[in-house]
Amino acid sequence: MSATDERLTYMANQIAANFAVMGVEKAALATADHIATFWDPRMKQRIMLALHVDAPAGSPLNEIARRAVERLIELGAPLPQVQATTFGGVDEPGLSDAG
Amino acid sequence: MAWIGEIDLGTKPARAATQTMVSLSIDGHAIEVPEGTSVMRAAALMGTTIPKLCATDTLEAFGSCRLCLVEIDGRPGYPASCTTPVTPGMVVRTQTDRLKQLRRGVMELYISDHPLDCLTCPANGDCELQDQAGAVGLREVRYGYEGKNHLKVEKDSSNPYFDFDPTKCIVCSRCVRACDEIQGTFALTVDDRGFASAIVPSQKQDFLSSECVSCGACVQACPTSALQEKKVAEIGTPDRAVVTTCAYCGVGCAFRAEMRGEELVRMVPWKEGKANRGHSCVKGRFAWGYAQHRDRILSPMIRESVDQPWREVSWEEAIARTASEFQRIQAKYGTRSVGGITSSRCTNEETYLVQKMVRQGFGNNNVDTCARVCHSPTGYGLKTTFGTSAGTQDFDSVRQSDVILVIGANPTDGHPVFGSRMKQRLREGAKLIVIDPRRVDLVRTPHIVADHHLPLRPGTNVAVLTAMAHVVVTEKLYDEAYIRARCDWDEFMDWADFVAQPERSPEATETLTRVPADELRATARLYATGGRAAIYYGLGVTEHSQGSSTVMAIANLAMATGNVGIEGAGVNPLRGQNNVQGSCDMGSFPHEYPGYRHVADDATRQLFETAWGVDLDPEPGLRINNMLDAATEGEFKALFIQGEDILQSDPNTTHVAAGLAAMECVVVQDLFLNETANYAHIFLPGSTFLEKDGTFTNAERRVQRVRKVMEPKNGYADWEVVQLVARALGLGWTYTHPSEIMDEIAALTPTFARVSYGALEEHGSLQWPATDAAPAGTPTMHIDAFVRGKGHFVVTDYIPTDEKTGPRFPLLLTTGRILSHYNVGAQTRRTDNVAWHPEDRLEIHPVDAEDRGVRDGDWVALRSRAGDTTLRALLTDRVAPGVVYTTFHHPATQANVITTDYSDWATSCPEYKVTAVQVSPSNGPSDWQERYQAHAARSRRIERLGEPAE
């Protein structure tokens, strides 16, 4: 795994850990939302690829992050917002996330 | 010194909240003024100037000089008009034979102990004593000059910016009062009594070694030449003034740039400035010499590779090279292989143009800004909870605060002018809570002692704030009516259930946070029940792996206690650089357009596509750190950097250097060959804030004009340079003035819809959002409802950072700033501010120092998992055992060699505030420092036309 892949995996796991308090399912959707909203396409592709390369048992992604990436793969990148997080109302004028 | 061209009404306006009007007669003229107004001010308002020396309208009336005497019917004697409030029906005479005689006598005494060197005095023509001598008709001094006097007292020239000449001092106490009332440092006093009275700094020290913070308030208040700017002595008095905005911190002080010809004589804080109310700090007031520093690069330069010397070229060649390199690289490596970085030091207009160039010209969204490494979590956190990526109040709001909670901020150093405002309110009785690992000055400063200081373990902000929330919820200190009316009640209940769990109590988290539980409980109670409670925070909140969570935890607390939407309360980020708010507003982040609208939003994207005439990328671009990652992997090849020194300011310097070194074209637009320029291929000289028009937006959302006071020494304002590059890229921009850029911003950005240069002239400044209902802007946000509708409680679980201490790295390093320097020090290191802080020092607790055999002033090696450096130790109990602290103002130290890649989970804001380190005695610079210094020296060679490399 390259340094960048390690970095992206770390980032995905970190995001997932901060959403974990929402419960696995909702946290996975929120993590997917976050990645879709803030990551550039190359980063999204790399994290999806990382999941494909690693067997689920040995995946460096934690459960929430893995589910999130699976969600991204399922929907295909780039993703529209799935509205799992209330702050990401990109379809409403004037609403998006700074940061 | 006096305010050239400004009217001094002698005393402050009436303080009374009720505007009951009082009618009186002055010199036979009827006048009506607010109750509480002084006779002096009332006279001044009707155009009658009563002679005065110790009075000025920035200070409380003092009544000592006896020059402003008046006669009032029915009152015995001759009361001082400055200390006498008006009363209904009062009949005042300001000029009678008896008054003339008395004033002349007073003035005669003053002048009998004053040097008669007016023609060679620096203040000649700008001296109130001289003016008043004329005003009272002084024609002779009957006492002679042979008697005992002060005319041989030695001048104190220790301060690099101003002299203190006691021979010219009339001991009016204006300087002492300015230091006390305005700045709040209490560094000056009147020593001794009677004839021996003398103004002295601290314990009879010179100014430089005293507690004086060189804010300039005393110099400004002095009515003579006793306290005099050295520049005025050197150049002469100014003959014109232009009002502009300071280019240092996020307070956004308004200044009068006082000029003689094209030469800047002095910067004087503008009384009408709504952010600073006539005050200044050592940086804005005095540290502008960098603009004329010999290190400034004024000619464009290029080179094939970074091991070659720079070669001066024409602007045409540099611009053509920039455009052709980006086009070549994109053709070879793809559209998304290049990007740009905007600067929070540049104007809104310039920032807007850089992001426009990236989106419209490069065809991608790879644009980021230095706010990434400071306040990006503020944007995320406040947008999520409140709906707006900005602070909730104006600075004036602090006057209404009952409780002030400062967390992760050091306002007396980082935002000194607002720090002084805060101290004024604290001296009036507001309660103070400081949450900071260090004992910052605010914790104990003259006439102020924090009610609670929580010296938490670095990295435990969320745990501390959650424990405070635990107290608020479990002790039912929350404002249920407010929450039900303004927030989502179900979300509140979810949050309340979470924070109320026993494991989040102060007692349960005490071992983790190192904050005593009873102290934390008392703090929470004070915040929740002490009245209007305001939270001010800085980078000690944002620059953590949970920076965004901390911002949201702060917002949760404020909403739970009903402290949003009212004056005196709110959540207030103190922005580090002058235009952090503006650069974020202008669409500098890779996922959003100006006005914080996501690039994936079809309607917004179509708006910009129509305006700019191109198809725009609907996918977010790369953040700075991801650009560098991609560069090291060979996928990101060119970067346009305006006014930002990422090599010195960003974390893990070795990684930044590797990323820059891997690029084929790095363009740096800056005033100086900064550290990043050591890895650059094209250098485009920048212009200072004195040399261009534009706007900055400060921490209170206040858009203010930056006005050109001199022509750009490099030939072009920064916005013009970006336009030249854009034109070379084929974009066809035709802006002739920054006002046209602002018009485009306003047309495309709802929150800026009413912002124009015309409106700024009319109102002086505008706090966005400016609406039809509030054309001058919105001082307090979320008054009736949150911008997002219902306030959004977010459950913020404490996730410890992965940066851990252990046997190899047992100490925690946290970094920060100091009063005399700004950011990476590129500007302030090129001024006399180095007199106060010539090098970065490592603050270490005496116990930790003793364990390691380190004495005060010793060189020490500072090592982390990322790298190592050396610097000198400063032993202090300001930091707790186990914690060390340093600044990052000096490239010789390169403090960011130490900091790691860990960053905020939501925004990638680096975790500057927590690095596990070890400290040990050292004999000299680290290998990295030696290698880097050699590289920097090689990289800065310049081949000037017709000359060999320097």
Side-chain angles (χ1 to χ4, degrees):
Chain A
M1 182 181 270
S2 73
T4 296
D5 286 330
E6 279 179 18
R7 179 85 195 137
L8 294 177
T9 303
Y10 181 84
M11 288 169 67
N13 284 338
Q14 192 188 12
I15 295 163
N18 277 276
F19 282 130
V21 69
M22 302 163 81
V24 173
E25 229 165 88
K26 205 171 173 195
L29 289 176
T31 304
D33 252 11
H34 192 94
I35 291 172
T37 304
F38 296 115
W39 287 23
D40 101 308
R42 191 186 61 91
M43 293 163 65
K44 290 171 192 165
Q45 284 159 6
R46 291 284 286 265
I47 197 74
M48 292 184 209
L49 201 60
L51 194 66
H52 276 303
V53 169
D54 293 297
S59 170
L61 292 171
N62 62 34
E63 186 190 356
I64 294 168
R66 185 175 54 75
R67 285 200 193 192
V69 176
E70 282 171 358
R71 171 85 175 154
L72 290 169
I73 292 169
E74 192 182 305
L75 294 174
L79 270 184
Q81 286 275 158
V82 295
Q83 295 300 301
T85 44
T86 54
F87 52 82
V90 296
D91 56 343
E92 299 168 47
L95 282 185
S96 83
D97 307 305
Chain B
M1 190 46 55
W3 313 75
I4 291 181
E6 288 191 317
I7 296 168
D8 184 344
L9 297 173
T11 63
K12 290 182 171 183
R15 199 175 295 175
T18 57
Q19 288 295 300
T20 307
M21 301 302 283
V22 171
S23 298
L24 70 156
S25 161
I26 300 177
D27 295 337
H29 302 282
I31 182 170
E32 196 178 60
V33 293
E35 184 182 20
T37 304
S38 71
V39 170
M40 175 181 280
R41 188 178 176 93
L45 287 169
M46 63 175 242
T48 296
T49 306
I50 299 174
K52 62 180 176 58
L53 280 173
C54 73
T56 182
D57 61 9
T58 57
L59 299 172
E60 296 297 331
F62 196 53
S64 81
C65 75
R66 313 313 297 169
L67 208 59
C68 70
L69 311 179
V70 291
E71 291 179 5
I72 300 174
D73 278 3
R75 294 203 187 181
Y78 304 91
S81 60
C82 62
T83 52
T84 306
V86 296
T87 55
M90 180 183 265
V91 177
V92 179
R93 284 177 298 283
T94 69
Q95 189 78 341
T96 66
D97 287 344
R98 182 62 184 147
L99 289 172
K100 285 185 214 170
Q101 191 182 12
L102 286 169
R103 288 181 189 141
R104 209 173 287 151
V106 170
M107 183 55 79
E108 202 175 348
L109 287 165
Y110 277 117
I111 300 300
S112 70
D113 189 11
H114 195 85
L116 297 178
D117 62 351
C118 287
L119 289 180
T120 54
C121 177
N124 186 23
D126 186 21
C127 172
E128 291 182 50
L129 188 67
Q130 192 179 46
D131 294 346
Q132 299 306 326
V136 302
L138 183 71
R139 296 293 173 261
E140 62 172 341
V141 175
R142 293 167 292 169
Y143 311 112
Y145 302 96
E146 293 76 27
K148 196 174 175 187
N149 59 49
H150 298 84
L151 300 181
K152 290 194 168 31
V153 184
E154 198 177 337
K155 186 193 282 190
D156 174 1
S157 296
S158 60
N159 185 290
Y161 297 116
F162 60 84
D163 293 327
F164 174 50
D165 184 352
T167 67
K168 293 177 176 171
C169 177
I170 58 171
V171 200
C172 62
S173 291
R174 272 165 66 162
C175 55
V176 178
R177 289 180 285 141
C179 191
D180 296 356
E181 295 174 22
I182 299 173
Q183 168 55 29
T185 296
F186 295 81
L188 302 178
T189 191
V190 180
D191 183 58
D192 220 317
R193 59 168 65 181
F195 183 80
S197 300
I199 304 296
V200 295
S202 296
Q203 307 301 309
K204 296 190 183 180
Q205 294 162 259
D206 63 36
F207 266 86
L208 186 63
S209 60
S210 75
E211 295 155 297
C212 167
V213 293
S214 201
C215 68
C218 57
V219 180
Q220 197 167 311
C222 180
T224 74
S225 189
L227 284 158
Q228 181 71 64
E229 297 97 338
K230 284 182 160 80
K231 276 287 176 189
V232 174
E234 176 192 322
I235 300 170
T237 48
D239 60 359
R240 68 184 173 95
V242 180
V243 173
T244 190
T245 305
C246 180
Y248 282 120
C249 78
V251 175
C253 296
F255 275 89
R256 289 159 52 93
E258 297 193 348
M259 309 288 295
R260 177 161 285 278
E262 275 284 288
E263 194 168 13
L264 179 59
V265 178
R266 64 183 172 190
M267 295 287 282
V268 181
W270 191 38
K271 275 198 293 192
E272 305 303 318
K274 291 175 183 166
N276 56 319
R277 303 288 181 194
H279 191 34
S280 59
C281 78
V282 62
K283 295 189 281 286
R285 177 76 154 92
F286 296 117
W288 38 267
Y290 68 86
Q292 287 89 33
H293 196 275
R294 64 182 179 280
D295 286 353
R296 256 190 87 175
I297 303 294
L298 302 177
S299 300
M301 302 187 297
I302 62 174
R303 58 184 171 186
E304 298 302 323
S305 62
V306 299
D307 57 356
Q308 293 180 352
W310 287 103
R311 184 165 57 86
E312 286 187 349
V313 295
S314 66
W315 273 105
E316 291 73 19
E317 186 175 348
I319 297 294
R321 171 70 76 95
T322 304
S324 66
E325 277 296 274
F326 275 78
Q327 286 167 332
R328 176 186 69 78
I329 289 168
Q330 284 193 292
K332 186 173 177 184
Y333 298 103
T335 304
R336 289 175 172 148
S337 62
V338 304
I341 296 177
T342 74
S343 174
S344 295
R345 297 182 211 177
C346 289
T347 64
N348 284 319
E349 294 76 3
E350 287 159 350
T351 304
Y352 175 84
L353 288 192
V354 172
Q355 65 88 32
K356 178 176 177 179
M357 180 176 73
V358 170
R359 299 188 204 279
Q360 183 193 30
F362 298 168
N364 63 48
N365 290 312
N366 290 334
V367 60
D368 208 356
T369 182
C370 41
R372 168 70 53 214
V373 300
C374 66
H375 267 289
S376 49
T378 288
Y380 183 93
L382 297 187
K383 184 80 182 178
T384 302
T385 49
F386 298 160
T388 302
S389 300
T392 60
Q393 315 295 124
D394 64 354
F395 289 142
D396 283 348
S397 168
V398 78
R399 294 183 302 196
Q400 310 297 323
S401 297
D402 300 310
V403 178
I404 297 172
L405 190 162
V406 179
I407 175 168
N410 186 5
T412 55
D413 276 35
H415 306 84
V417 169
F418 178 67
S420 291
R421 297 282 299 280
M422 190 182 272
K423 288 196 291 186
Q424 287 168 11
R425 181 61 188 154
L426 291 168
R427 291 198 302 274
E428 288 173 347
K431 303 292 185 185
L432 173 64
I433 299 164
V434 176
I435 304 178
D436 200 293
R438 291 173 74 228
R439 195 181 65 242
V440 295
D441 285 349
L442 202 55
V443 172
R444 189 177 186 90
T445 193
H447 301 283
I448 294 168
V449 178
D451 297 86
H452 302 286
H453 173 216
L454 311 187
L456 75 175
R457 187 173 194 268
T460 61
N461 284 337
V462 171
V464 167
L465 290 164
T466 303
M468 284 180 66
H470 176 93
V471 176
V472 169
V473 169
T474 56
E475 296 186 11
K476 299 198 184 310
L477 305 178
Y478 51 85
D479 186 340
E480 182 171 342
Y482 177 93
I483 298 164
R484 284 190 182 278
R486 303 287 306 276
C487 306
D488 186 308
W489 180 255
D490 291 338
E491 287 175 355
F492 166 75
M493 289 303 290
D494 289 344
W495 173 78
D497 286 346
F498 175 81
V499 300
Q501 289 165 17
E503 63 266 33
R504 298 192 174 85
S505 70
E507 291 74 17
T509 52
E510 181 175 335
T511 50
L512 170 73
T513 64
R514 296 183 186 159
V515 175
D518 55 348
E519 185 69 3
L520 194 143
R521 281 191 180 273
T523 299
R525 288 168 191 147
L526 175 61
Y527 174 75
T529 64
R532 293 172 182 245
I535 298 176
Y536 293 89
Y537 71 87
L539 305 184
V541 159
T542 56
E543 290 176 343
H544 286 275
S545 63
Q546 281 204 293
S548 293
S549 300
T550 310
V551 173
M552 293 188 288
I554 286 171
N556 290 339
L557 263 183
M559 289 189 292
T561 52
N563 273 309
V564 184
I566 54 171
E567 258 202 291
V571 175
N572 306 283
L574 295 171
R575 308 285 190 161
Q577 302 197 62
N578 49 317
N579 201 34
V580 173
Q581 181 69 57
S583 72
C584 298
D585 297 342
M586 291 299 103
S588 292
F589 287 127
H591 65 283
E592 60 196 7
Y593 295 119
Y596 304 101
R597 291 163 295 168
H598 201 279
V599 294
D601 175 23
D602 291 338
T604 304
R605 197 172 62 257
Q606 282 160 16
L607 182 71
F608 283 92
E609 285 176 339
T610 303
W612 295 348
V614 293
D615 290 336
L616 295 172
D617 189 344
E619 280 288 305
L622 292 163
R623 296 169 175 173
I624 294 174
N625 53 323
N626 301 127
M627 290 180 196
L628 294 167
D629 290 343
T632 56
E633 296 230 324
E635 294 180 355
F636 188 85
K637 290 292 186 180
L639 186 58
F640 184 99
I641 306 170
Q642 183 180 65
E644 169 76 347
D645 190 0
I646 59 173
L647 191 78
Q648 194 182 341
S649 65
D650 286 30
N652 194 352
T653 305
T654 48
H655 180 60
V656 177
L660 290 169
M663 295 184 203
E664 292 187 10
C665 182
V666 174
V667 180
V668 168
Q669 185 185 10
D670 208 291
L671 300 176
F672 306 106
L673 277 175
N674 60 20
E675 307 310 310
T676 305
N678 293 336
Y679 291 88
H681 306 82
I682 299 172
F683 186 88
L684 303 175
S687 53
T688 73
F689 76 112
L690 299 166
E691 300 166 354
K692 57 194 179 189
D693 283 301
T695 56
F696 292 150
T697 307
N698 75 355
E700 45 168 8
R701 296 170 276 105
R702 188 180 301 283
V703 184
Q704 301 185 103
R705 274 299 312 277
V706 177
R707 293 183 177 86
K708 184 163 82 172
V709 302
M710 60 179 72
E711 290 302 314
K713 294 191 184 308
N714 58 323
Y716 292 107
D718 293 335
W719 66 270
E720 293 176 293
V721 174
V722 177
Q723 172 156 274
L724 287 170
V725 175
R727 283 180 182 166
L729 288 166
L731 298 184
W733 294 359
T734 56
Y735 305 108
T736 60
H737 190 268
S739 61
E740 296 168 9
I741 305 170
M742 181 53 78
D743 290 342
E744 180 175 316
I745 295 165
L748 294 169
T749 313
T751 43
F752 274 67
R754 289 189 64 116
V755 178
S756 69
Y757 280 35
L760 288 169
E761 290 300 329
E762 181 186 347
H763 297 288
S765 62
L766 292 167
Q767 273 185 281
W768 70 255
T771 62
D772 289 341
T778 309
T780 305
M781 294 200 75
H782 317 296
I783 287 179
D784 296 318
F786 285 96
V787 168
R788 70 181 303 283
K790 292 285 189 185
H792 178 41
F793 280 90
V794 178
V795 175
T796 54
D797 198 5
Y798 169 62
I799 312 286
T801 174
D802 288 319
E803 177 69 358
K804 308 286 188 194
T805 53
R808 285 181 63 212
F809 303 106
L811 303 172
L812 281 178
L813 169 74
T814 182
T815 62
R817 292 153 177 76
I818 200 163
L819 170 67
S820 52
H821 282 295
Y822 175 70
N823 203 262
V824 295
Q827 292 141 287
T828 47
R829 277 186 285 106
R830 292 178 171 96
T831 70
D832 287 326
N833 277 25
V834 290
W836 286 276
H837 189 75
E839 60 184 336
D840 294 321
R841 292 281 195 109
L842 184 76
E843 290 187 6
I844 183 169
H845 193 277
V847 171
D848 289 327
E850 189 178 346
D851 285 350
R852 290 162 177 77
V854 171
R855 291 166 304 178
D856 193 57
D858 280 357
W859 286 96
V860 293
L862 178 66
R863 293 189 178 84
S864 75
R865 293 179 182 90
D868 61 289
T869 189
T870 57
L871 68 173
R872 290 202 293 157
L874 174 66
L875 271 59
T876 173
D877 64 357
R878 183 189 285 268
V879 290
V883 177
V884 291
Y885 167 88
T886 191
T887 51
F888 62 100
H889 301 307
H890 291 269
T893 314
Q894 290 274 5
N896 281 320
V897 172
I898 304 298
T899 52
T900 69
D901 282 329
Y902 290 119
S903 61
D904 174 46
W905 67 272
T907 67
S908 301
C909 181
E911 191 170 46
Y912 291 108
K913 303 297 184 184
V914 184
T915 307
V917 295
Q918 178 59 293
V919 176
S920 57
S922 171
N923 292 324
S926 67
D927 291 346
W928 160 265
Q929 282 171 303
E930 286 184 341
R931 280 200 312 275
Y932 183 77
Q933 289 304 325
H935 168 72
R938 266 199 320 278
S939 182
R940 290 195 170 116
R941 291 170 297 158
I942 299 174
E943 264 179 23
R944 296 211 155 83
L945 292 172
E947 295 176 11
E950 285 179 349

